[in-house]
């Protein structure tokens, strides 16, 4: 019976799953909405409902796949959001969305008490509300039941546990918590002491592609498959898109946008601090002994929000307006969109008689491309000139979008892979299972199969 690989991406908007054949081609896929509950500060999710959605996506993908034995399952997904468990392994409270504003006060206190420069030097992050540390501090302050917690797991690690895996802290995910000392590859003691939590709250850090057990009854279609936590969605997408060379850059444009730069050299602590001060976060890559430089957090909302404002509520409407924007003559006056970097309210300047949604869309894509150029320049300042740019995600569809980015960034490899994170997770599951024997083989499969993706789904 043919060996199959299953990848799960626990994403912000959807939980997605793909099935790969032995050649690394996607042969089936399925998605389920991520079941957030909206709250005034952002969103939260019931951990059991989230695991059910992720496993439901896997069930749907397997149901559409050809017959075969699933050898390995990899789980990737959003970072920063985590699940607190009691002594019996049951969730104690809802999980706070990574983009939720709770924890801002606690992040400020952490910066003051631990020292913002020391925090950056050790963790590769700015002490802000995005960090898991700030969310944990808020929960311990306002939800007394969470003080009984015996374990904290990131979202992909939680789903892997529900499938039957042992607890680990995958390094690319741990790098987003504000609790990991990057240089020691161990939990940072001063941060744990500041939170007043024991080190045992967090499982031991481990690299991506580590086998942590076998699938049990939670996913009958993959029973017995080896489980791996693949890692942080943006970084795992580099594997799925075939962006595995040193100095490659992935432009990931889904619900959140980012530029992820592979760095084969580890930075000294002072260099990490300087990178963070320059707007670059630093963490462990899923590629062995490589680091990931992440920029572009200010790009997380723009085009989707502008599209909704223009009433572009489906793909067809967006593509129609994008085509009209692309067809505008270069000499056609275009409004200017200000505030896209999040430092002020959005404002559109230069509106004239005859301004259309196409003009506004062109203004938005041009402004977003300019932000992307600045974001990529920040990581270049840390690590030198970048190599290839590989782009994935729904946010890079459209002629106007692509033309604006190429004018700013130069040649871009527009990846045909539809679900790069889930595909990368499946390949990393295959590595854990031994279906893919070495990292060199994994990188070869990742690159060789991606060009044929469109013919398989």
């Amino acid at each position: 019976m043919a060996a199959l690989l299953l990848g799960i991406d626990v994403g912000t908007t959807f939980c997605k799953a793909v099935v790969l054949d032995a050649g690394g081609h996607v042969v089936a896929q399925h998605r389920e909405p991520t079941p957030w509950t909206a709250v005034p500060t952002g969103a939260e999710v019931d951990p059991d409902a989230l695991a059910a959605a992720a496993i439901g996506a896997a069930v749907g993908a397997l149901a559409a796949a050809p017959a075969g034995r699933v050898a390995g399952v990899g789980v990737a997904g959003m970072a920063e959001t985590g699940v607190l468990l009691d002594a019996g392994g049951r969730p104690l409270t809802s999980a706070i969305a990574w983009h939720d504003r709770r924890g801002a006060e606690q992040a400020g206190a952490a910066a003051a008490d631990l020292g913002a420069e020391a925090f950056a030097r050790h963790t590769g992050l700015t002490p802000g509300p995005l960090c898991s540390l700030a969310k944990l501090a808020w929960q311990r302050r306002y939800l007394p039941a969470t003080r009984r917690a015996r374990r904290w797991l990131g979202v992909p690690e939680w789903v892997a546990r529900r499938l039957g895996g042992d607890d680990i802290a995958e390094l690319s995910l741990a790098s987003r918590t504000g609790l990991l000392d990057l240089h020691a590859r161990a939990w940072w003691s001063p941060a744990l002491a500041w939170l007043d939590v024991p080190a045992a709250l967090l499982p031991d850090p481990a690299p991506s592609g580590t086998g942590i057990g076998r699938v049990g009854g939670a996913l009958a279609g993959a029973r017995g498959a080896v489980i791996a936590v693949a890692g942080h969605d943006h970084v795992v997408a580099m594997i799925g898109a075939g962006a595995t060379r040193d100095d490659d850059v992935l432009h990931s444009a889904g619900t959140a946008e980012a530029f992820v730069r592979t760095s084969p050299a580890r930075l000294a602590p002072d260099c990490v601090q300087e990178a963070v001060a320059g707007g670059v976060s630093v963490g462990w890559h899923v590629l062995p002994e490589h680091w990931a430089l992440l920029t572009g957090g200010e790009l997380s909302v723009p085009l989707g929000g502008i599209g909704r404002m223009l009433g572009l509520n489906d793909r067809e409407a967006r593509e129609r307006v994008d085509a009209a924007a692309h067809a505008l003559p270069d000499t056609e006056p275009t409004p200017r969109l200000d505030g896209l970097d999040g430092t002020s309210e959005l404002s559109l300047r230069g509106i004239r008689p005859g301004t259309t949604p196409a003009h506004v869309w062109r203004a938005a894509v041009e402004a977003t491309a300019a932000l992307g150029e600045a974001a990529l320049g920040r990581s270049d300042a840390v690590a030198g000139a970048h190599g290839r740019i590989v782009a994935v995600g729904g946010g890079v569809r459209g002629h106007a979008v692509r033309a604006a980015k190429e004018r700013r960034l130069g040649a871009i490899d527009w990846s045909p892979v539809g679900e790069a994170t889930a595909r990368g997770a499946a390949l990393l599951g295959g590595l854990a299972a031994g279906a893919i024997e070495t990292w060199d083989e994994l990188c070869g499969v990742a690159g060789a199969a991606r060009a044929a993706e469109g013919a398989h789904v």
Side-chain angles (χ1 to χ4, degrees):
M1 186 176 289
L4 302 173
L5 301 175
L6 174 65
I8 300 172
D9 171 15
V10 191
T12 302
T13 306
F14 290 98
C15 295
K16 295 155 280 191
V18 302
V19 179
L20 307 186
D21 64 15
H25 302 99
V26 175
V27 294
Q29 62 182 1
H30 187 72
R31 58 171 56 187
E32 295 285 342
T34 304
W36 297 109
T37 298
V39 296
T41 54
E44 60 190 29
V45 65
D46 176 82
D48 289 325
L50 181 60
I55 294 171
V59 170
L62 289 171
R69 177 186 61 84
V70 179
V73 178
V75 187
M78 68 185 91
E80 292 97 22
T81 297
V83 180
L84 283 166
L85 306 176
D86 65 15
R90 295 177 294 270
L92 283 162
T93 187
S94 296
I96 299 174
W98 60 268
H99 53 81
D100 192 280
R101 297 189 301 277
R102 279 172 283 184
E105 178 184 350
Q106 288 70 28
D113 297 341
L114 295 168
E117 291 184 351
F119 190 92
R121 193 162 54 247
H122 285 276
T123 70
L125 302 171
T126 299
L130 197 66
C131 296
S132 307
L133 172 141
K135 294 173 172 55
L136 276 165
W138 185 92
Q139 288 173 314
R140 288 177 63 78
R141 169 68 176 83
Y142 292 105
L143 304 175
T146 63
R147 298 173 197 161
R148 297 189 284 108
R150 293 295 179 267
R151 179 67 86 207
W152 183 92
L153 296 173
V155 160
E157 296 148 357
W158 161 243
V159 172
R161 186 186 215 265
R162 289 292 298 268
L163 290 173
D166 296 329
D167 293 347
I168 64 161
E170 188 278 330
L171 281 169
S172 70
L173 290 164
S175 296
R176 304 297 303 173
T177 62
L179 294 163
L180 185 76
D181 186 325
L182 299 179
H183 312 283
R185 278 191 267 203
W187 300 114
W188 188 34
S189 297
L192 296 177
W194 182 83
L195 272 176
D196 190 26
V197 298
L201 181 71
L202 303 164
D204 292 336
S208 176
T210 300
I212 58 170
R214 294 184 179 274
V215 176
L219 185 57
R223 188 187 295 272
V226 174
I227 304 166
V229 178
H232 183 199
D233 49 11
H234 289 314
V235 186
V236 174
M238 298 191 81
I239 303 297
T244 57
R245 304 175 191 170
D246 289 353
D247 299 317
D248 271 355
V249 172
L250 184 84
H251 178 28
S252 175
T255 304
E257 290 202 24
F259 288 88
V260 189
R261 164 80 179 271
T262 298
S263 176
R266 290 171 60 177
L267 305 177
D270 286 348
C271 293
V272 171
Q273 179 188 325
E274 291 174 7
V276 173
V280 180
S281 64
V282 182
W284 281 98
H285 207 294
V286 298
L287 292 167
E289 301 305 321
H290 285 63
W291 281 14
L293 310 180
L294 182 66
T295 55
E298 70 272 33
L299 304 175
S300 293
V301 179
L303 287 183
I306 296 298
R308 287 189 293 274
M309 183 184 73
L310 294 174
L312 310 181
N313 297 319
D314 56 54
R315 181 173 175 176
E316 182 179 346
R318 175 166 162 165
E319 289 179 348
R320 184 171 58 252
V321 170
D322 183 272
H326 186 58
L328 291 171
D330 292 341
T331 56
E332 180 83 6
T334 299
R336 189 179 80 232
L337 190 64
D338 293 330
L340 209 59
D341 60 358
T343 59
S344 61
E345 292 183 349
L346 283 177
S347 62
L348 193 65
R349 301 179 183 273
I351 299 173
R352 298 172 174 84
T355 295
T356 68
H359 291 91
V360 176
W361 184 251
R362 187 164 78 171
V365 300
E366 292 290 348
T368 303
L371 286 179
E373 181 183 32
L376 190 54
R378 292 197 292 273
S379 62
D380 283 357
V382 173
H386 61 267
R388 272 188 317 166
I389 302 174
V390 179
V392 298
V396 291
R397 296 191 186 105
H399 295 298
V401 171
R402 292 186 174 189
K405 289 180 182 293
E406 288 197 325
R407 280 194 293 271
R408 292 280 187 172
L409 305 175
I412 297 175
D413 179 351
W414 303 104
S415 173
V417 177
E419 298 293 353
T421 297
R423 180 171 184 260
L427 292 171
L428 289 159
L431 183 71
I436 297 173
E437 294 185 356
T438 66
W439 275 98
D440 285 344
E441 181 185 349
L442 182 147
C443 293
V445 171
R450 54 161 261 183
E453 286 307 294
H456 284 265
V457 178

